[in-house]
Amino acid sequence: MFAPTFIEIAGLKWSDTGMAATVGRSLSEIFRSEKSGRVIDARDHVLIGKERTDIGRPHDWGYPIRGIIKGDWMYVENFEPTRWPGGNPETGYLDCDGGATKTFILDAHRQNTADPYWALCFGMRRRKNSSISHTIATA
């Protein structure tokens, strides 16, 4: 999603990059706008996807999800609900960068296995999840 933006800001033409053609469009018009809220009416949704990999997960299998966010709604489909999103616990959740936040959340979980933040960051996910996105943003 960001490649067209980076190419435009660098002053390049897509054809000069050597990359395959893309249907993606630059976001620079939005970033440069003085408006708030929806800047371009036609851009009323965001498509999301992720293929995480973990050297600690059996067969180095990824964690594939796809989703759409439109208005106040978000829909995400998790194609492998039996896999851990941040990597397997026994390998230290290696698909999540090591840092202060990860350490804090894992320590909190060791002290209280019902810790809700651990579940949000590292817990298993349902196959399909539909929710109102502003509840996530303000939680």
Side-chain angles (χ1 to χ4, degrees), residues 47-107:
L47 300 175
I48 57 175
K50 186 181 293 188
E51 291 290 336
R52 297 178 80 169
T53 56
D54 178 14
I55 58 171
R57 190 178 282 128
H59 309 289
D60 298 333
W61 284 337
Y63 185 76
I65 65 152
R66 302 292 181 273
I68 185 168
I69 301 170
K70 184 170 181 169
D72 287 340
W73 290 95
M74 176 178 67
Y75 174 80
V76 177
E77 183 150 354
N78 170 10
F79 293 96
E80 294 295 340
T82 61
R83 296 182 192 164
W84 295 93
N88 288 21
E90 65 272 16
T91 61
Y93 307 101
L94 293 178
D95 208 9
C96 177
D97 293 343
T101 303
K102 178 180 179 180
T103 300
F104 178 84
I105 298 222
L106 292 179
D107 285 346

Side-chain angles (χ1 to χ4, degrees), residues 105-120 123:
I105 298 222
L106 292 179
D107 285 346
H109 179 65
R110 287 182 196 103
Q111 294 173 23
N112 175 10
T113 57
D115 180 63
Y117 299 107
W118 176 89
L120 289 169

Side-chain angles (χ1 to χ4, degrees), residues 27-40:
L27 299 170
S28 59
E29 181 181 357
I30 295 169
F31 294 151
R32 292 181 179 137
S33 176
E34 297 291 326
K35 294 182 183 179
S36 63
R38 187 178 305 151
V39 174
I40 302 170

